[in-house]
Amino acid sequence: MSDSTSPTVLIEIEDSSGFCFGVTTAISKAESELAKTHSLFCLGDIVHNGMECERLRRLGLETIGHKDLATLPVGSKVLLRAHGEPPTTYQIAEERGISLIDATCPVVLQLQRRIKKVYDEVPRPQIVIYGKRGHAEVLGLVGQTDGEAIVIEGVEEAARLDFTRDTALFSQTTKSLQGFQRIVEHITTHIQPPARFRYFDTICRQVANRLPNIKEFASRHDAIIFVCGLKSSNGRVLFEACREVNPRSYLTDTPDAIQNEWLQNVRSIGICGATSTPKWLMEQCKEKIISLAR
Ligand code: SF4
Protein backbone atom coordinates (compact mmCIF):
# COMPACT_ATOMS: atom_id res chain seq x y z
CA MET A 1 0.00 0.00 0.00
CA SER A 2 1.40 3.36 -0.93
CA ASP A 3 1.32 6.45 1.20
CA SER A 4 -1.54 7.66 -1.02
CA THR A 5 -3.75 5.03 0.66
CA SER A 6 -3.52 7.00 3.84
CA PRO A 7 -6.86 8.11 5.33
CA THR A 8 -6.96 10.94 2.76
CA VAL A 9 -7.73 8.49 -0.05
CA LEU A 10 -11.29 8.84 -1.23
CA ILE A 11 -13.26 5.58 -1.39
CA GLU A 12 -16.64 5.77 -3.10
CA ILE A 13 -19.23 3.06 -3.64
CA GLU A 14 -21.25 3.68 -6.80
CA ASP A 15 -24.85 4.54 -5.91
CA SER A 16 -26.53 2.54 -8.64
CA SER A 17 -24.46 -0.62 -8.13
CA GLY A 18 -26.20 -3.54 -6.51
CA PHE A 19 -29.14 -5.81 -7.13
CA CYS A 20 -31.56 -5.06 -9.94
CA PHE A 21 -35.27 -5.30 -9.13
CA GLY A 22 -35.49 -8.82 -10.61
CA VAL A 23 -32.87 -10.17 -8.22
CA THR A 24 -34.18 -8.13 -5.27
CA THR A 25 -37.64 -9.60 -5.79
CA ALA A 26 -36.34 -13.18 -6.04
CA ILE A 27 -34.33 -12.80 -2.84
CA SER A 28 -37.30 -11.23 -0.99
CA LYS A 29 -39.50 -14.14 -2.07
CA ALA A 30 -36.89 -16.60 -0.79
CA GLU A 31 -36.45 -14.73 2.49
CA SER A 32 -40.15 -14.50 3.22
CA GLU A 33 -40.61 -18.24 2.60
CA LEU A 34 -37.52 -19.09 4.67
CA ALA A 35 -38.80 -16.93 7.54
CA LYS A 36 -41.82 -19.27 7.73
CA THR A 37 -40.34 -22.67 6.93
CA HIS A 38 -36.51 -22.37 7.25
CA SER A 39 -36.27 -24.65 4.25
CA LEU A 40 -36.61 -24.03 0.53
CA PHE A 41 -35.05 -25.41 -2.64
CA CYS A 42 -33.80 -23.08 -5.38
CA LEU A 43 -33.28 -24.33 -8.91
CA GLY A 44 -29.74 -23.09 -9.64
CA ASP A 45 -27.92 -20.34 -7.76
CA ILE A 46 -30.44 -17.65 -6.84
CA VAL A 47 -27.89 -15.03 -7.84
CA HIS A 48 -24.44 -15.27 -9.43
CA ASN A 49 -22.77 -14.30 -6.22
CA GLY A 50 -21.29 -17.00 -4.03
CA MET A 51 -21.31 -14.93 -0.86
CA GLU A 52 -24.99 -13.97 -1.11
CA CYS A 53 -25.82 -17.62 -1.91
CA GLU A 54 -23.93 -18.63 1.23
CA ARG A 55 -25.85 -16.10 3.34
CA LEU A 56 -29.14 -17.54 2.10
CA ARG A 57 -27.89 -21.10 2.51
CA ARG A 58 -27.43 -20.39 6.20
CA LEU A 59 -31.10 -19.34 6.32
CA GLY A 60 -32.12 -22.70 4.82
CA LEU A 61 -32.01 -22.19 1.04
CA GLU A 62 -30.70 -25.27 -0.73
CA THR A 63 -29.53 -24.98 -4.33
CA ILE A 64 -30.48 -27.92 -6.53
CA GLY A 65 -29.99 -28.83 -10.18
CA HIS A 66 -32.57 -29.86 -12.78
CA LYS A 67 -31.75 -33.55 -12.29
CA ASP A 68 -32.79 -33.26 -8.62
CA LEU A 69 -36.38 -32.42 -9.60
CA ALA A 70 -36.86 -36.11 -10.40
CA THR A 71 -36.11 -37.21 -6.84
CA LEU A 72 -37.55 -34.44 -4.63
CA PRO A 73 -40.36 -35.60 -2.32
CA VAL A 74 -43.89 -34.74 -3.44
CA GLY A 75 -44.97 -31.40 -1.98
CA SER A 76 -41.44 -29.92 -1.95
CA LYS A 77 -41.23 -26.19 -2.60
CA VAL A 78 -38.86 -24.96 -5.27
CA LEU A 79 -38.08 -21.36 -6.09
CA LEU A 80 -37.48 -20.44 -9.74
CA ARG A 81 -34.96 -17.59 -9.88
CA ALA A 82 -35.12 -14.36 -11.90
CA HIS A 83 -33.47 -15.95 -15.00
CA GLY A 84 -36.61 -17.95 -15.76
CA GLU A 85 -37.06 -21.54 -16.87
CA PRO A 86 -38.11 -23.43 -20.00
CA PRO A 87 -41.62 -24.93 -20.14
CA THR A 88 -40.22 -28.41 -19.41
CA THR A 89 -39.36 -27.36 -15.85
CA TYR A 90 -43.00 -26.41 -15.17
CA GLN A 91 -44.16 -29.71 -16.69
CA ILE A 92 -41.81 -31.80 -14.55
CA ALA A 93 -42.83 -29.91 -11.40
CA GLU A 94 -46.48 -30.50 -12.13
CA GLU A 95 -45.97 -34.20 -12.84
CA ARG A 96 -43.93 -34.65 -9.66
CA GLY A 97 -46.29 -32.70 -7.37
CA ILE A 98 -43.64 -30.04 -6.67
CA SER A 99 -44.89 -26.63 -5.70
CA LEU A 100 -43.18 -23.72 -7.42
CA ILE A 101 -42.47 -20.21 -6.18
CA ASP A 102 -41.96 -18.47 -9.47
CA ALA A 103 -39.56 -15.53 -9.14
CA THR A 104 -38.93 -15.17 -12.87
CA CYS A 105 -38.21 -11.49 -13.51
CA PRO A 106 -41.17 -9.83 -15.30
CA VAL A 107 -38.77 -8.54 -17.98
CA VAL A 108 -37.61 -12.10 -18.75
CA LEU A 109 -41.18 -13.40 -18.60
CA GLN A 110 -42.28 -10.86 -21.19
CA LEU A 111 -39.36 -11.81 -23.43
CA GLN A 112 -40.22 -15.51 -23.15
CA ARG A 113 -43.81 -14.72 -24.20
CA ARG A 114 -42.71 -12.64 -27.18
CA ILE A 115 -40.45 -15.44 -28.41
CA LYS A 116 -43.23 -18.00 -27.98
CA LYS A 117 -45.65 -15.78 -29.93
CA VAL A 118 -43.23 -15.47 -32.87
CA TYR A 119 -42.45 -19.20 -32.68
CA ASP A 120 -46.16 -19.98 -33.04
CA GLU A 121 -46.45 -17.95 -36.26
CA VAL A 122 -47.22 -19.77 -39.50
CA PRO A 123 -44.97 -19.99 -41.43
CA ARG A 124 -42.45 -20.13 -38.62
CA PRO A 125 -39.50 -17.72 -39.00
CA GLN A 126 -35.92 -18.50 -38.12
CA ILE A 127 -35.57 -17.36 -34.49
CA VAL A 128 -32.19 -16.00 -33.44
CA ILE A 129 -31.20 -15.19 -29.87
CA TYR A 130 -28.17 -13.02 -29.15
CA GLY A 131 -26.95 -14.47 -25.88
CA LYS A 132 -24.50 -16.64 -24.02
CA ARG A 133 -24.84 -20.29 -24.97
CA GLY A 134 -25.79 -22.43 -21.98
CA HIS A 135 -26.72 -19.44 -19.76
CA ALA A 136 -29.79 -20.18 -17.64
CA GLU A 137 -31.84 -17.33 -19.10
CA VAL A 138 -30.94 -18.38 -22.64
CA LEU A 139 -31.96 -22.00 -21.93
CA GLY A 140 -35.33 -20.65 -20.77
CA LEU A 141 -35.67 -18.62 -23.97
CA VAL A 142 -34.64 -21.45 -26.29
CA GLY A 143 -37.12 -23.65 -24.43
CA GLN A 144 -39.95 -21.45 -25.77
CA THR A 145 -39.06 -22.73 -29.25
CA ASP A 146 -38.71 -26.43 -28.43
CA GLY A 147 -34.95 -25.99 -28.77
CA GLU A 148 -35.11 -24.63 -32.35
CA ALA A 149 -33.86 -21.07 -31.78
CA ILE A 150 -30.31 -20.38 -32.94
CA VAL A 151 -28.11 -18.81 -30.26
CA ILE A 152 -25.32 -16.53 -31.43
CA GLU A 153 -22.82 -14.96 -29.08
CA GLY A 154 -21.71 -12.19 -31.42
CA VAL A 155 -21.83 -10.88 -34.98
CA GLU A 156 -18.99 -13.22 -35.98
CA GLU A 157 -21.41 -16.14 -35.59
CA ALA A 158 -24.07 -14.59 -37.82
CA ALA A 159 -22.65 -16.45 -40.84
CA ARG A 160 -24.46 -19.55 -39.50
CA LEU A 161 -27.84 -18.00 -40.28
CA ASP A 162 -29.97 -18.73 -43.31
CA PHE A 163 -30.54 -15.33 -44.91
CA THR A 164 -33.12 -16.71 -47.33
CA ARG A 165 -35.57 -17.26 -44.44
CA ASP A 166 -37.77 -14.80 -42.54
CA THR A 167 -35.77 -14.02 -39.42
CA ALA A 168 -36.64 -12.68 -35.98
CA LEU A 169 -33.83 -11.56 -33.67
CA PHE A 170 -34.12 -11.30 -29.87
CA SER A 171 -31.54 -10.67 -27.18
CA GLN A 172 -30.76 -12.08 -23.77
CA THR A 173 -31.64 -9.27 -21.35
CA THR A 174 -28.09 -8.69 -20.16
CA LYS A 175 -26.27 -8.42 -23.49
CA SER A 176 -24.77 -5.17 -24.75
CA LEU A 177 -26.76 -2.78 -26.93
CA GLN A 178 -23.70 -2.24 -29.12
CA GLY A 179 -23.30 -5.96 -29.80
CA PHE A 180 -27.01 -6.23 -30.61
CA GLN A 181 -26.78 -3.28 -33.00
CA ARG A 182 -23.87 -4.89 -34.85
CA ILE A 183 -25.91 -8.06 -35.41
CA VAL A 184 -28.94 -6.04 -36.58
CA GLU A 185 -26.75 -4.25 -39.15
CA HIS A 186 -25.20 -7.51 -40.35
CA ILE A 187 -28.52 -9.27 -40.86
CA THR A 188 -30.09 -6.17 -42.44
CA THR A 189 -27.37 -6.09 -45.10
CA HIS A 190 -27.37 -9.85 -45.74
CA ILE A 191 -31.06 -10.77 -45.67
CA GLN A 192 -32.26 -11.85 -49.12
CA PRO A 193 -35.71 -10.50 -50.02
CA PRO A 194 -38.44 -11.51 -50.08
CA ALA A 195 -37.22 -12.88 -46.71
CA ARG A 196 -38.21 -10.42 -43.96
CA PHE A 197 -36.06 -9.43 -40.98
CA ARG A 198 -37.54 -8.24 -37.68
CA TYR A 199 -35.64 -7.52 -34.52
CA PHE A 200 -36.77 -6.97 -30.96
CA ASP A 201 -34.55 -4.98 -28.64
CA THR A 202 -35.13 -6.97 -25.46
CA ILE A 203 -32.10 -5.76 -23.52
CA CYS A 204 -32.93 -4.87 -19.93
CA ARG A 205 -32.42 -1.19 -19.22
CA GLN A 206 -31.44 -2.01 -15.63
CA VAL A 207 -28.21 -3.20 -17.23
CA ALA A 208 -27.95 -1.11 -20.41
CA ASN A 209 -28.53 2.19 -18.58
CA ARG A 210 -25.79 1.33 -16.16
CA LEU A 211 -23.11 1.21 -18.85
CA PRO A 212 -22.76 4.99 -19.40
CA ASN A 213 -23.06 5.64 -15.64
CA ILE A 214 -20.43 3.09 -14.71
CA LYS A 215 -18.02 4.40 -17.36
CA GLU A 216 -18.38 7.90 -15.99
CA PHE A 217 -17.83 6.56 -12.46
CA ALA A 218 -14.77 4.51 -13.50
CA SER A 219 -13.17 7.46 -15.27
CA ARG A 220 -13.49 9.63 -12.14
CA HIS A 221 -11.34 7.35 -9.95
CA ASP A 222 -7.70 6.33 -10.01
CA ALA A 223 -8.56 2.67 -9.46
CA ILE A 224 -11.76 0.63 -9.63
CA ILE A 225 -12.56 -2.43 -7.57
CA PHE A 226 -15.32 -4.23 -9.41
CA VAL A 227 -17.09 -6.73 -7.17
CA CYS A 228 -19.06 -9.59 -8.65
CA GLY A 229 -19.39 -13.35 -8.83
CA LEU A 230 -17.10 -14.81 -11.47
CA LYS A 231 -20.10 -16.47 -13.21
CA SER A 232 -22.06 -13.23 -13.66
CA SER A 233 -22.47 -12.43 -17.36
CA ASN A 234 -23.82 -8.96 -16.63
CA GLY A 235 -20.82 -8.43 -14.36
CA ARG A 236 -18.46 -9.28 -17.19
CA VAL A 237 -20.06 -6.66 -19.46
CA LEU A 238 -19.92 -3.95 -16.78
CA PHE A 239 -16.37 -4.81 -15.75
CA GLU A 240 -15.17 -4.58 -19.36
CA ALA A 241 -16.86 -1.16 -19.60
CA CYS A 242 -14.86 -0.02 -16.54
CA ARG A 243 -11.64 -1.38 -17.98
CA GLU A 244 -12.22 0.42 -21.27
CA VAL A 245 -12.05 3.80 -19.56
CA ASN A 246 -9.84 2.90 -16.61
CA PRO A 247 -7.09 0.30 -17.13
CA ARG A 248 -6.65 0.13 -13.37
CA SER A 249 -9.93 -1.75 -12.93
CA TYR A 250 -9.73 -4.94 -10.89
CA LEU A 251 -12.27 -7.73 -10.61
CA THR A 252 -12.89 -9.52 -7.33
CA ASP A 253 -15.62 -11.73 -5.90
CA THR A 254 -14.55 -11.36 -2.28
CA PRO A 255 -12.91 -8.70 -0.08
CA ASP A 256 -10.08 -11.09 0.77
CA ALA A 257 -8.97 -11.24 -2.87
CA ILE A 258 -8.24 -7.49 -2.96
CA GLN A 259 -4.52 -7.11 -3.45
CA ASN A 260 -2.33 -4.44 -1.96
CA GLU A 261 -0.70 -3.71 -5.31
CA TRP A 262 -4.08 -2.72 -6.82
CA LEU A 263 -4.15 0.20 -4.43
CA GLN A 264 -0.68 1.56 -5.06
CA ASN A 265 -0.32 5.27 -5.87
CA VAL A 266 -3.99 6.12 -5.92
CA ARG A 267 -5.84 9.07 -4.47
CA SER A 268 -9.34 7.79 -5.15
CA ILE A 269 -10.82 4.31 -5.35
CA GLY A 270 -14.23 3.52 -6.77
CA ILE A 271 -16.13 0.38 -5.75
CA CYS A 272 -18.90 -0.85 -8.00
CA GLY A 273 -20.51 -4.11 -9.02
CA ALA A 274 -23.00 -6.04 -11.12
CA THR A 275 -26.76 -6.35 -10.77
CA SER A 276 -26.01 -9.52 -8.79
CA THR A 277 -23.66 -7.87 -6.28
CA PRO A 278 -25.07 -7.22 -2.81
CA LYS A 279 -24.46 -3.78 -1.31
CA TRP A 280 -23.22 -5.39 1.92
CA LEU A 281 -20.40 -7.08 -0.02
CA MET A 282 -19.27 -3.77 -1.50
CA GLU A 283 -19.30 -2.30 2.03
CA GLN A 284 -17.08 -5.19 3.17
CA CYS A 285 -14.68 -4.45 0.29
CA LYS A 286 -14.53 -0.83 1.44
CA GLU A 287 -13.65 -2.01 4.97
CA LYS A 288 -10.96 -4.27 3.54
CA ILE A 289 -9.41 -1.39 1.58
CA ILE A 290 -9.42 0.77 4.72
CA SER A 291 -7.77 -2.02 6.71
CA LEU A 292 -5.05 -2.42 4.04
CA ALA A 293 -4.41 1.31 4.29
CA ARG A 294 -3.67 1.15 8.01
S1 SF4 B 1 -31.07 -7.63 -15.16
FE1 SF4 B 1 -33.12 -6.90 -15.78
S2 SF4 B 1 -34.07 -8.69 -16.71
FE2 SF4 B 1 -32.33 -9.46 -15.56
S3 SF4 B 1 -33.21 -10.00 -13.57
FE3 SF4 B 1 -32.46 -7.89 -13.41
S4 SF4 B 1 -34.25 -6.60 -13.87
FE4 SF4 B 1 -34.69 -8.66 -14.59
Side-chain angles (χ1 to χ4, degrees), residues 217-252:
F217 178 80
S219 61
R220 269 197 285 114
H221 291 284
D222 294 338
I224 289 293
I225 306 298
F226 190 92
V227 190
C228 83
L230 304 177
K231 285 193 270 177
S232 165
S233 97
N234 140 260
R236 192 49 65 182
V237 172
L238 293 170
F239 173 64
E240 289 306 331
C242 289
R243 212 159 46 169
E244 237 175 69
V245 295
N246 188 336
R248 291 198 62 183
S249 297
Y250 305 101
L251 181 69
T252 185

Side-chain angles (χ1 to χ4, degrees), residues 26-230:
I27 290 174
S28 308
K29 284 188 178 178
E31 283 174 334
S32 64
E33 181 64 24
L34 289 167
K36 289 182 271 173
T37 61
H38 308 288
S39 164
L40 176 64
F41 296 106
C42 181
L43 194 51
D45 290 337
I46 190 164
V47 58
H48 289 157
N49 187 283
M51 296 190 70
E52 178 67 359
C53 287
E54 177 55 24
R55 184 186 73 81
L56 291 164
R57 192 193 64 74
R58 286 197 296 268
L59 297 178
L61 188 69
E62 189 181 333
T63 304
I64 56 165
H66 286 85
K67 277 192 278 184
D68 299 316
L69 289 177
T71 52
L72 285 183
V74 173
S76 299
K77 274 195 181 170
V78 175
L79 182 121
L80 303 184
R81 60 194 173 167
H83 287 322
E85 284 293 321
T88 46
T89 300
Y90 294 85
Q91 282 154 20
I92 293 168
E94 195 176 343
E95 284 161 21
R96 301 258 327 121
I98 291 166
S99 124
L100 294 177
I101 299 176
D102 194 347
T104 304
C105 174
V107 178
V108 176
L109 207 54
Q110 196 195 21
L111 168 57
Q112 288 183 345
R113 287 183 185 139
R114 285 171 97 173
I115 292 177
K116 174 83 173 93
K117 195 163 168 238
V118 172
Y119 179 68
D120 288 340
E121 287 175 3
V122 181
R124 179 173 293 154
Q126 167 177 244
I127 295 181
V128 183
I129 297 169
Y130 169 43
K132 188 173 172 203
R133 222 167 274 116
H135 186 282
E137 181 191 319
V138 174
L139 295 177
L141 302 180
V142 173
Q144 309 304 316
T145 67
D146 293 326
E148 282 184 26
I150 300 167
V151 178
I152 59 172
E153 299 199 349
V155 72
E156 58 288 347
E157 293 183 15
R160 289 170 48 211
L161 307 180
D162 180 352
F163 296 109
T164 64
R165 287 184 62 196
D166 284 348
T167 299
L169 172 71
F170 296 87
S171 175
Q172 180 182 352
T173 57
T174 48
K175 295 302 279 183
S176 87
L177 276 167
Q178 235 183 2
F180 184 72
Q181 203 46 48
R182 278 198 287 269
I183 295 169
V184 168
E185 280 161 20
H186 185 91
I187 302 179
T188 305
T189 53
H190 287 77
I191 198 84
Q192 294 176 24
R196 195 162 65 105
F197 171 47
R198 284 172 294 163
Y199 58 91
F200 303 83
D201 171 1
T202 49
I203 293 167
C204 174
R205 275 9 187 206
Q206 289 263 311
V207 178
N209 290 346
R210 286 204 52 211
L211 270 175
N213 294 346
I214 212 161
K215 280 187 176 177
E216 189 275 322
F217 178 80
S219 61
R220 269 197 285 114
H221 291 284
D222 294 338
I224 289 293
I225 306 298
F226 190 92
V227 190
C228 83
L230 304 177

